[in-house]
Amino acid sequence: MMKCPAVCLVALALLGSLCDAQWQNYKPSPPKPPRQEIKKPVENPQIKQTFEKPLTWTYPEDPQPPEKVEVPFELRFPVPAATVAVECRESEAHVEVKKDMFGIGQFINPADLTLGTCSAVAEDNVAHVLIYESALQACGSTLVLTEESLVYTFTLNYNPQPVGSSPVVRTSKAAVIVECHYPRKHNVSSLPLNPVWVPFSAVKVSEEFLYFTMKLMTDDWLYERPSYQYFLGDLINIEVIVQQYFHVPLRVYVDHCVATLSSDPASSPRYAFIENNGCLVDARITGSSSRFQARTAENKLCFQLEAFRFQGADSGLLYLTCHLKATSSSNSIDSSHRACSYIAGWKEASGIDTACASCETGDFGASNSGVVSGTSSNPGRKIRDVSKAQAESTSYENQLSKVFDIILFTYYSIFNTFQSKCHSANPIWTSCFLLLDNLTLLYYNILFPSLSCRVGR
């Protein structure tokens, strides 16, 4: 323990002798002159660098897919094609199929199409048609009985096969049902019961009965016009027909026509635009385009009337009343039977213009019963009135026609009833028809003694 303090004392003695030796050798240096500080110029604080023009460069955007453009597109759906036809014969079905079965312009392979289990029996290379024929009980047909019919059903099967080594096909499988309907109930003995002669009573009635029609037609003269509305300047197409029935060939005429504001042809105002036995005087009086058309059939006559109205009349409704008559077509066209139009002179619808010579001598408008205005430059139209006796005669004929039509309908009903009864009595059917004919003739002579006036109307 004594060694440690001894070592410390020796170390302190050596340190003191070293400090003395350095103090003796020390000489103070002369003082240095004061140091002058050099002032540096004050610099401006740092300024952020700017650009004379703004930068236009930017980071590129992410690529975007192009916008979809609206394309005028409409999906076309397959339309059923009328390419299969069937004819149901007495004991077989005859089926014809177009090679372009789907109507897409692509022919099918005949081997891919069968009628049930039967292949085509013939092929029309000109019309591109496959022909199938089968007995009603063959080719896998089925029979269904209904209350009224026997129905034989066939199935037209189409099963497309790949062409060559390609595994693809261009059409789909299809099946078409073909049916033949035959009535279950059929009167096989009715034909021998019908007499081969026409009963005298039926001939007499048919000769006395003339059925006239007068219709408004479309511009092409093909259909009856569904609308009765016209505008001034329009042409009214009118078609007149007489039904022939058992008559000899007939030729129809329009004897005279009158326009009124009411259904009474004798009312006022009134305008007779056809008069003097078939002279269409409207074009002659007013310069309109009214005219008869050239005949295309003897029992039909067409004419055009330019639309007009009565001056001062508030109603836009007009009634056209015409007197029609028919004669045998073998009769010649003359001054009493004609259809004349004024077209830079009088012209007849059948080309017999000489029959119209007396049209110009007629008195166009003996009395002024109304004033008509239209597209013509003539402010008024003279008309011809009919006498009171003519009006009463027309009224009587109209009433007689209505009574005749009702009784004629009743006659035919009774005739059909007796006819069916006579058919059921097979042994005496001839006597039954003779009795019916005599009773009908007696009935006709008693109830229709005055209807002879209808002949030739």
Side-chain angles (χ1 to χ4, degrees), residues 13 35 55 81 108 112 125 130 177 203 212 306 338 366-367 371 398 409 432:
R35 189 174 181 182
L55 294 179
I108 63 173
D112 297 340
N125 294 323
L130 300 176
I177 304 301
V203 175
F212 294 93
E306 188 171 336
R338 58 191 176 184
S367 61
V371 181
N398 291 338
F409 176 77
C432 184

Side-chain angles (χ1 to χ4, degrees), residues 380-407:
R381 290 179 178 174
K382 303 286 187 177
I383 64 168
R384 178 175 298 182
D385 200 353
V386 293
S387 64
K388 182 177 180 181
Q390 289 177 330
E392 293 177 353
S393 176
T394 303
S395 177
Y396 172 75
E397 291 180 359
N398 291 338
Q399 295 176 1
L400 192 61
S401 298
K402 294 179 181 178
V403 174
F404 176 79
D405 293 340
I406 295 174
I407 298 179

Side-chain angles (χ1 to χ4, degrees), residues 253-257 274-279 323-325 336:
Y253 299 94
V254 182
D255 196 62
H256 61 266
C257 286
I274 297 179
E275 57 182 4
N276 196 12
N277 297 324
C279 297
H323 182 270
L324 311 178
K325 62 182 179 182
S336 298

Side-chain angles (χ1 to χ4, degrees), residues 160-177:
Q161 300 296 324
V163 179
S165 60
S166 173
V168 300
V169 293
R170 301 292 184 185
T171 53
S172 302
K173 293 183 179 181
V176 180
I177 304 301

Side-chain angles (χ1 to χ4, degrees), residues 91-376:
S91 60
E92 65 179 9
H94 178 88
V95 181
E96 295 184 359
V97 184
K98 293 183 180 180
K99 284 187 175 181
D100 185 13
M101 181 178 175
F102 296 95
I104 58 177
Q106 181 178 353
F107 288 173
I108 63 173
N109 185 2
D112 297 340
L113 184 65
T114 58
L115 181 65
T117 58
C118 303
S119 302
V121 297
E123 181 178 347
D124 188 346
N125 294 323
V126 177
H128 304 294
V129 172
L130 300 176
I131 301 174
Y132 298 82
E133 289 184 352
S134 170
L136 296 178
Q137 297 83 9
C139 295
S141 67
T142 59
L143 173 61
V144 177
L145 298 179
T146 65
E147 186 177 355
E148 299 293 337
S149 303
L150 299 172
V151 182
Y152 291 90
T153 304
F154 298 84
T155 304
L156 198 62
N157 296 310
Y158 175 66
N159 186 17
Q161 300 296 324
V163 179
S165 60
S166 173
V168 300
V169 293
R170 301 292 184 185
T171 53
S172 302
K173 293 183 179 181
V176 180
I177 304 301
V178 178
E179 293 183 349
C180 284
H181 294 243
Y182 297 90
R184 293 186 63 181
K185 301 177 182 179
H186 185 68
N187 187 358
V188 295
S189 61
S190 61
L191 292 178
L193 296 179
N194 289 332
V196 295
W197 46 269
V198 179
F200 175 77
S201 57
V203 175
K204 187 66 176 176
V205 171
S206 65
E207 289 180 352
E208 296 290 341
F209 183 66
L210 295 179
Y211 184 74
F212 294 93
T213 60
M214 187 170 71
K215 299 182 294 184
L216 299 177
M217 305 298 292
T218 55
D219 293 340
D220 54 7
W221 296 95
L222 296 179
Y223 307 100
E224 184 175 0
R225 196 174 192 268
S227 174
Y228 299 138
Q229 184 177 6
Y230 292 91
F231 296 96
L232 292 178
D234 291 347
L235 289 177
I236 304 174
N237 295 335
I238 302 176
E239 180 186 78
V240 175
I241 294 179
V242 58
Q243 301 293 342
Q244 303 220 159
Y245 295 112
F246 295 102
H247 285 281
V248 295
L250 296 175
R251 185 186 296 121
V252 65
Y253 299 94
V254 182
D255 196 62
H256 61 266
C257 286
V258 61
T260 56
L261 291 177
S262 66
S263 57
D264 183 9
S267 63
S268 181
R270 57 192 304 275
Y271 173 58
F273 55 91
I274 297 179
E275 57 182 4
N276 196 12
N277 297 324
C279 297
L280 208 165
V281 298
D282 180 61
R284 179 66 176 85
I285 298 175
T286 66
S288 67
S289 300
S290 303
R291 66 180 64 188
F292 283 104
Q293 301 292 308
R295 285 186 184 270
T296 57
E298 295 294 344
N299 68 323
K300 180 172 68 173
L301 182 61
C302 301
F303 65 95
Q304 291 179 314
L305 176 65
E306 188 171 336
F308 61 89
R309 67 178 182 86
F310 284 98
Q311 187 177 22
D314 297 332
S315 174
L317 186 65
L318 292 179
Y319 290 86
L320 304 181
T321 305
C322 295
H323 182 270
L324 311 178
K325 62 182 179 182
T327 62
S328 173
S329 59
S330 60
N331 295 342
S332 60
I333 298 175
D334 52 25
S335 59
S336 298
H337 306 87
R338 58 191 176 184
C340 298
S341 308
Y342 189 81
I343 311 171
W346 290 101
K347 307 292 183 182
E348 213 281 329
S350 299
I352 314 300
D353 298 340
T354 55
C356 303
S358 60
C359 288
E360 188 64 28
T361 60
D363 187 5
F364 304 129
S367 61
N368 189 1
S369 177
V371 181
V372 185
S373 64
T375 57
S376 172

